[in-house]
Amino acid sequence: MASRKMCLILGLTVFLWVELHAQENVTCKLLRKFNLSGYVEAENHSMVIGGLFPIHSRTIPTNNSDEVPVSAMCEGFNFRGFRWMKTMIHTIKEINERKDILPNHTLGYQIFDTCFSVSKAMETALAFLTGQEENKPNFRNSTGKYLVGIIGAGGSSLSVAAARILGLYYIPQVGYTSSCAVLSDTFQFPSFYRSTPSDKFQSEGMVSLIQHFGWVWVGTIASDDDYGKYGVKSLRERMEFVNLCVAFSETIPKVYSNEKMQKAIKAIKSSTAKVIVLFSTDIDLGPFVLEVIHHNITDRTWIASEAWITSALIAKPEYFPYFGGTIGFAIPRSVIPGLKEFLYDVHPSKNPNDVLTIEFWQTAFNCTWPNSSVPYNVDHRVNMTGKEDRLYDMSDQLCTGEEKLEDLKNTYLDTSQLRITNNVKQAVYLMAYALDRLSTCDLLEEQRNDTACSHIPDFEPKELMTYFKKLKIITHDGAEIELDLNGDVGKGYYDILNWHMGNTGEITFVKVGEYKYTSTKSELVLPKNSSLFWNTESSMLPESVCTKLCAPGTRRGIRQGQPVCCFNCIPCADGYVSEKSGQRECDPCGEDDWSNAEKSKCVPKLVEFLAYGEALGFTLVILSIFGALVVLAVTVVYVIHRHTPLVKANDRELSFLIQMSLVITVLSSLLFIGKPCNWSCMARQITLALGFCLCLSSILGKTISLFFAYRISVSKTRLISMHPIFRKLIVLVCVVGEIGVCAAYLVLEPPRMFKNIEIQNVKIIFECNEGSVEFLCSIFGFDVLLALLCFLTTFVARQLPDNYYEGKCITFGMLVFFIVWISFVPAYLSTKGKFKVAVEIFAILASSYGLLGCLFLPKCFIILLRPKRNTDETVGGRVPTVDRSIQLTSASVSSELNSTTVSTVLDE
């Protein structure tokens, strides 16, 4: 079976070969031709430059059928594209008249209408390569002249389509308004160059503009083609890089679709974004503008791309309520000498076969040229109601030929905004200068060893591409244009325009700034005094945010599943602040600061210590001073009555020491009041400890005497009396020992003042760090031991004669002392801050007042108010014991044991 198929294939091959050789005289013929219109002037010129311009705005839809596809017709005369085409012709004529560029050669042209459609752009590119008048392709031009390159094709999508074909044969192509960033890819488009900057710069400029005005929530509308899609893609990437958000992204259909158009309109109306970027050409934008007006969408700020910012199709006075205040980027404006006069030099009578000029005349003056079948107002678009408009009717008014172009007010004759028009001129000059470099073999230094010189006209298109690399020209207005290795303009600037309503009722394009760019850096220049018009109710700068900036005192919280521009405002935690609006995180306050109530600023923390000026501190000071004065008053009484029996009883010197120690302890509480510092922290505990040590050791000297007296009365034994010097030695030893421990405490680990911020964050509590807890416990533990010994000895001796008060007074004094300090411990541990200090001061004063009251007030009462009882007989008395032969007095203790008298002198 396989062998039979192989035989059949070989047989058919042989048959075809025989038939072809039998008809050697048969040549190829074009079955159909593209329906193209344009201009050609190639005779008497050595080279031809092709041109592609959108002289019409669209093609007439054709019905689908099984027949062979036909080339579509065009409709919608485009005055702007017609002016671009005339500018190319004017520029070529200008170059041919110059002697410094291609002095030995002249340029011709062949220009086709792309009808602003990809299909026509493809047709015109193929026509340039193969021709339509010859019976075989020659990859040069249908005019028979050398095709050196193409200018066009009038839009990014059109240039992309044409460049994919022209690039296969390395035909140089210079775009004048094709700014799509993808055209910089030399792998896909090896022979494409342009005189307009890449949209990469425009997208970066738009983001800089958005940032400048503080907009973060922006919508995007793009035409459904390469220009719009790649432009918005570049814009979104840049916006995401700087943390800006796209609220919505919709497209405008190339072929009117009510569903897609309503989707874009709905996105605009439902979004909170008040700023919208429109990346589209003016022709594609027309239906969308009508939809915006139909839905009465106002209070929006539109950011325009360079393709429509100065378009007369959009900048109409009746559109101003909806698009007024539009701000956008424009190609730098220029003045082209002689162009205006050249544009006026157009008339149908000059060439009856010039269908484009006839259509221009008919459309401009709304008349019908005699004996012409060219329609002048054809429109097959679907309107907003979904019905098709067909305007094929010829005007009843005939053109006379006397119509004056001066009376027209249309885009063709408007030379006030020559921006893309100037790019056309520059594109032609780039082609001409590249040819001039080829004619002189002007190679770059790195190319001279690897590239052979070419000659006009015997060169291949690929050879011309070498001379476009780093091509630099100076334009007629002094601007410098330099192409980089990707065929892009390496540096330049955009004008930033703002739509105003002029005094004449026409929209004016007011330049409010510039965006300067190079391949490495860029700069947005917007003077502060620029007169910007905003189409808002308040005429003020619009806000465009998903969520308003968080006020100071709050931070931005993420909303799950939503862009970063949509967030919740979360109050800062205590101790954290956000001083600026819109902060992502709250900043912590310093150690000495705290957040205010609004969490918007760090303020110094409240400083807390027991101050002299506050009520509690002042009260404690009064009590301290009053206690010291009372002790001094007692001392004065004792000094005055120092020779009386009651004062002399049980060692008056120790009584004076106790009084002095009480003054020290009472006044030591003053060291606890006020702002602590290092010296006061060291002095207060030491002073208190030494004061109590002196007091308790003196009391201990007294209690030991009483203890011995009691033991005599109980044991009825003759004892050796305690000499007063021994009592002083007890005091001295105790005080010296305490001083030694205190000195070691101060030297090794002394107390220090520190700021306590752990108890309350909102406050700084100035208090003393007591240093070594072991030393502190040792110091006050010694005082506790002395107090315990005093209590035990006096408790044992409490049964001395009833009329003797010393033992009982000391017993009650020590009970008060222990009660105060035992209750002090839990109270001290349960309080914080200044109240903790107040509790300690209260314990000091209470214990001091207790000792003072128990030890001295009863005696002072007798001395001052009952002086008759201050006698030896009254102070002394019999001890009601088993053996009454023993007699104890405050001055002497007499014991009679077995008719033996023992006398113990206590205070002499």
Side-chain angles (χ1 to χ4, degrees):
M1 190 71 179
S3 61
R4 290 180 61 185
K5 288 184 177 180
M6 288 297 296
C7 292
L8 181 60
I9 292 172
L10 288 173
L12 288 173
T13 304
V14 172
F15 174 78
L16 290 174
W17 183 83
V18 171
E19 286 294 316
L20 287 174
H21 280 74
Q23 301 179 8
E24 290 182 355
N25 296 328
V26 177
T27 59
C28 296
K29 294 182 180 180
L30 291 173
L31 296 178
R32 291 181 182 272
K33 293 183 179 181
F34 294 133
N35 184 22
L36 303 178
S37 60
Y39 293 90
V40 59
E41 183 181 317
E43 294 183 4
N44 303 320
H45 297 292
S46 53
M47 294 170 291
V48 170
I49 298 178
L52 300 176
F53 293 91
I55 301 174
H56 288 86
S57 59
R58 57 195 171 272
T59 57
I60 299 174
T62 57
N63 296 325
N64 294 329
S65 64
D66 296 334
E67 298 179 1
V68 179
V70 297
S71 181
M73 298 285 291
C74 298
E75 64 178 0
F77 195 83
N78 182 10
F79 289 106
R80 198 181 189 195
F82 194 60
R83 184 181 68 202
W84 296 345
M85 180 270 299
K86 286 289 186 179
T87 302
M88 176 178 173
I89 297 175
H90 174 263
T91 305
I92 289 178
K93 291 181 179 295
E94 180 182 291
I95 292 172
N96 288 336
E97 292 173 0
R98 294 180 60 168
K99 301 301 181 183
D100 57 333
I101 304 176
L102 299 171
N104 300 322
H105 306 279
T106 58
L107 300 174
Y109 57 84
Q110 184 170 20
I111 300 173
F112 288 124
D113 179 14
T114 64
C115 303
F116 201 70
S117 66
V118 173
S119 61
K120 281 295 179 183
M122 298 283 285
E123 292 177 9
T124 53
L126 290 171
F128 277 127
L129 292 174
T130 63
Q132 295 196 93
E133 305 300 331
E134 298 179 319
N135 56 14
K136 59 182 179 180
N138 64 357
F139 300 104
R140 274 306 189 181
N141 191 268
S142 60
T143 62
K145 300 296 181 180
Y146 287 98
L147 179 68
V148 297
I150 307 295
I151 304 298
S156 293
S157 296
L158 309 183
S159 292
V160 167
R164 293 194 185 279
I165 296 176
L166 298 173
L168 296 175
Y169 303 98
Y170 299 101
I171 302 295
Q173 178 184 354
V174 183
Y176 51 87
T177 186
S178 305
S179 57
C180 183
V182 74
L183 287 166
S184 300
D185 187 350
T186 56
F187 180 79
Q188 296 187 64
F189 310 101
S191 62
F192 184 81
Y193 309 94
R194 50 186 162 190
S195 60
T196 190
S198 168
D199 280 336
K200 178 188 73 171
F201 299 117
Q202 185 173 198
S203 298
E204 292 176 354
M206 285 182 174
V207 173
S208 297
L209 186 73
I210 292 169
Q211 286 183 299
H212 176 81
F213 291 116
W215 301 321
V216 296
W217 188 237
V218 179
T220 63
I221 301 289
S223 56
D224 192 12
D225 55 15
D226 292 325
Y227 173 72
K229 290 180 178 179
Y230 280 104
V232 167
K233 178 178 179 292
S234 178
L235 176 70
R236 294 188 63 167
E237 290 174 353
R238 186 63 184 173
M239 287 179 65
E240 291 174 2
F241 181 75
V242 294
N243 294 324
L244 300 179
C245 301
V246 177
F248 59 86
S249 186
E250 299 294 337
T251 57
I252 301 173
K254 296 286 286 186
V255 178
Y256 187 87
S257 168
N258 187 62
E259 180 183 354
K260 293 182 179 179
M261 194 69 77
Q262 295 309 316
K263 182 182 178 184
I265 294 297
K266 183 179 179 181
I268 296 172
K269 294 175 70 174
S270 61
S271 176
T272 57
K274 299 298 182 181
V275 177
I276 303 170
V277 176
L278 268 175
F279 236 112
S280 174
T281 60
D282 55 346
I283 295 174
D284 289 333
L285 199 57
F288 174 78
V289 171
L290 296 178
E291 290 286 352
V292 170
I293 296 171
H294 177 71
H295 289 272
N296 194 30
I297 298 176
T298 58
D299 197 29
R300 298 295 190 278
T301 297
W302 307 90
I303 299 179
S305 63
E306 97 292 343
W308 68 274
I309 183 66
T310 58
S311 172
L313 292 176
I314 310 300
K316 296 180 179 180
E318 57 268 29
Y319 297 167
F320 191 80
Y322 310 94
F323 288 86
T326 293
I327 188 170
F329 292 73
I331 303 300
R333 176 183 172 187
S334 181
V335 176
I336 301 177
L339 177 62
K340 187 173 184 178
E341 294 75 11
F342 183 79
L343 294 177
Y344 274 93
D345 187 19
V346 58
H347 201 280
S349 61
K350 291 185 177 182
N351 185 357
N353 297 322
D354 186 355
V355 295
L356 291 177
T357 301
I358 293 174
E359 187 176 358
F360 161 76
W361 201 269
Q362 291 182 155
T363 307
F365 294 105
N366 194 21
C367 61
T368 301
W369 190 256
N371 304 320
S372 173
S373 61
V374 178
Y376 77 97
N377 193 15
V378 182
D379 195 343
H380 285 74
R381 289 177 298 175
V382 178
N383 62 19
M384 288 179 288
T385 63
K387 297 181 179 180
E388 184 179 4
D389 291 333
R390 291 183 177 271
L391 302 177
Y392 262 109
D393 299 333
M394 306 297 291
S395 176
D396 294 334
Q397 180 181 357
L398 294 177
C399 301
T400 63
E402 300 298 325
E403 292 85 3
K404 294 182 179 180
L405 292 173
E406 291 82 0
D407 297 335
L408 289 177
K409 291 183 179 179
N410 61 19
T411 309
Y412 172 72
L413 297 174
D414 183 8
T415 57
S416 63
Q417 297 290 331
L418 297 182
R419 299 178 186 275
I420 296 179
T421 303
N422 187 52
N423 274 5
V424 174
K425 182 182 181 71
Q426 294 173 355
V428 177
Y429 264 99
L430 285 171
M431 184 72 73
Y433 273 104
L435 288 169
D436 187 65
R437 287 182 62 187
L438 182 144
S439 66
T440 59
C441 197
D442 183 15
L443 293 168
L444 298 175
E445 187 68 30
E446 60 269 18
Q447 297 173 334
R448 291 179 181 175
N449 296 329
D450 301 328
T451 306
C453 293
S454 303
H455 302 282
I456 297 177
D458 300 324
F459 68 93
E460 294 296 324
K462 186 175 183 180
E463 297 175 20
L464 180 59
M465 291 170 52
T466 304
Y467 297 90
F468 275 99
K469 293 182 178 180
K470 295 187 179 180
L471 176 61
K472 182 187 296 183
I473 68 172
I474 304 297
T475 64
H476 66 281
D477 53 1
E480 182 183 284
I481 299 177
E482 182 177 0
L483 300 183
D484 59 18
L485 295 177
N486 294 328
D488 290 332
V489 178
K491 63 179 180 179
Y493 69 95
Y494 287 98
D495 287 338
I496 300 178
L497 304 183
N498 185 223
W499 284 16
H500 289 225
M501 179 61 74
N503 297 328
T504 60
E506 299 292 330
I507 292 179
T508 59
F509 310 114
V510 179
K511 181 178 178 180
V512 294
E514 291 182 350
Y515 179 72
K516 302 177 182 178
Y517 62 87
T518 65
S519 58
T520 57
K521 64 179 181 179
S522 58
E523 179 186 8
L524 179 68
V525 180
L526 279 174
K528 293 183 179 180
N529 57 354
S530 59
S531 55
L532 283 163
F533 171 76
W534 302 111
N535 192 25
T536 58
E537 293 181 359
S538 61
S539 297
M540 301 297 290
L541 175 69
E543 288 188 356
S544 189
V545 295
C546 179
T547 306
K548 288 189 176 182
L549 284 179
C550 293
T554 60
R555 64 175 179 86
R556 292 163 55 181
I558 298 174
R559 287 185 186 174
Q560 292 295 333
Q562 296 193 25
V564 294
C565 299
C566 301
F567 47 82
N568 297 317
C569 293
I570 303 173
C572 293
D574 290 339
Y576 289 79
V577 298
S578 59
E579 297 183 354
K580 299 178 181 178
S581 299
Q583 284 191 210
R584 185 179 295 273
E585 297 292 341
C586 298
D587 302 319
C589 292
E591 184 179 291
D592 295 340
D593 296 326
W594 194 248
S595 55
N596 58 5
E598 295 78 18
K599 305 296 190 300
S600 60
K601 189 177 181 181
C602 289
V603 295
K605 289 182 178 180
L606 297 175
V607 177
E608 182 178 280
F609 57 88
L610 188 59
Y612 290 102
E614 59 181 301
L616 180 59
F618 182 75
T619 301
L620 294 175
V621 168
I622 295 300
L623 292 175
S624 300
I625 296 175
F626 177 75
L629 293 177
V630 171
V631 176
L632 291 176
V634 171
T635 303
V636 170
V637 171
Y638 264 57
V639 170
I640 294 173
H641 301 86
R642 62 185 177 278
H643 299 296
T644 62
L646 196 59
V647 174
K648 293 168 61 178
N650 205 12
D651 205 326
R652 62 185 174 189
E653 285 79 8
L654 292 181
S655 297
F656 285 123
L657 287 177
I658 293 173
Q659 294 165 13
M660 184 179 69
S661 65
L662 289 177
V663 172
I664 294 174
T665 56
V666 169
L667 293 180
S668 68
S669 62
L670 297 178
L671 297 174
F672 289 82
I673 304 175
K675 184 177 180 180
C677 52
N678 289 335
W679 71 267
S680 63
C681 287
M682 291 186 289
R684 64 187 189 178
Q685 298 291 3
I686 300 302
T687 304
L688 178 63
L690 291 176
F692 274 126
C693 180
L694 179 61
C695 177
L696 295 172
S697 61
S698 300
I699 294 174
L700 182 62
K702 284 177 173 284
T703 59
I704 290 176
S705 298
L706 297 176
F707 176 76
F708 282 129
Y710 175 73
R711 293 300 298 171
I712 293 171
S713 67
V714 172
S715 62
K716 300 179 182 181
T717 305
R718 182 183 180 88
L719 299 175
I720 301 174
S721 64
M722 176 178 285
H723 197 277
I725 193 64
F726 293 109
R727 286 172 260 168
K728 275 63 169 190
L729 287 175
I730 292 173
V731 174
L732 180 62
V733 170
C734 292
V735 172
V736 170
E738 185 81 337
I739 291 175
V741 177
C742 290
Y745 177 36
L746 294 178
V747 171
L748 298 178
E749 291 189 62
R752 289 286 185 268
M753 187 277 291
F754 86 106
K755 305 175 194 176
N756 190 344
I757 60 175
E758 297 178 359
I759 299 176
Q760 293 189 42
N761 291 327
V762 73
K763 294 180 180 180
I764 299 177
I765 300 176
F766 285 93
E767 58 185 20
C768 292
N769 182 356
E770 304 300 346
S772 174
V773 178
E774 293 79 6
F775 272 115
L776 195 65
C777 291
S778 300
I779 292 172
F780 286 99
F782 185 69
D783 290 341
V784 172
L785 177 62
L786 292 178
L788 185 61
L789 292 175
C790 293
F791 177 74
L792 292 176
T793 53
T794 54
F795 182 79
V796 172
R798 71 187 184 282
Q799 295 180 356
L800 286 174
D802 291 338
N803 60 339
Y804 182 75
Y805 300 102
E806 189 78 22
K808 294 181 180 180
C809 290
I810 294 176
T811 301
F812 281 114
M814 298 315 299
L815 282 174
V816 171
F817 185 85
F818 276 111
I819 291 171
V820 169
W821 286 101
I822 290 173
S823 61
F824 157 77
V825 173
Y828 183 80
L829 295 177
S830 61
T831 54
K832 305 292 182 182
K834 63 181 180 181
F835 297 103
K836 189 173 186 178
V837 178
V839 168
E840 187 171 0
I841 295 174
F842 179 80
I844 295 170
L845 295 177
S847 58
S848 300
Y849 274 104
L851 290 174
L852 176 65
C854 292
L855 294 180
F856 297 105
L857 289 186
K859 294 183 180 181
C860 290
F861 177 80
I862 294 174
I863 294 172
L864 297 177
L865 301 179
R866 300 289 186 270
K868 292 182 179 180
R869 294 178 59 185
N870 190 5
T871 61
D872 291 335
E873 293 79 9
T874 304
V875 173
R878 288 289 175 179
V879 181
T881 60
V882 178
D883 189 350
R884 285 185 170 277
S885 61
I886 302 176
Q887 182 180 1
L888 294 173
T889 68
S890 59
S892 64
V893 178
S894 300
S895 298
E896 292 183 5
L897 300 174
N898 298 322
S899 302
T900 303
T901 301
V902 179
S903 180
T904 304
V905 180
L906 299 176
D907 58 349
E908 295 183 3

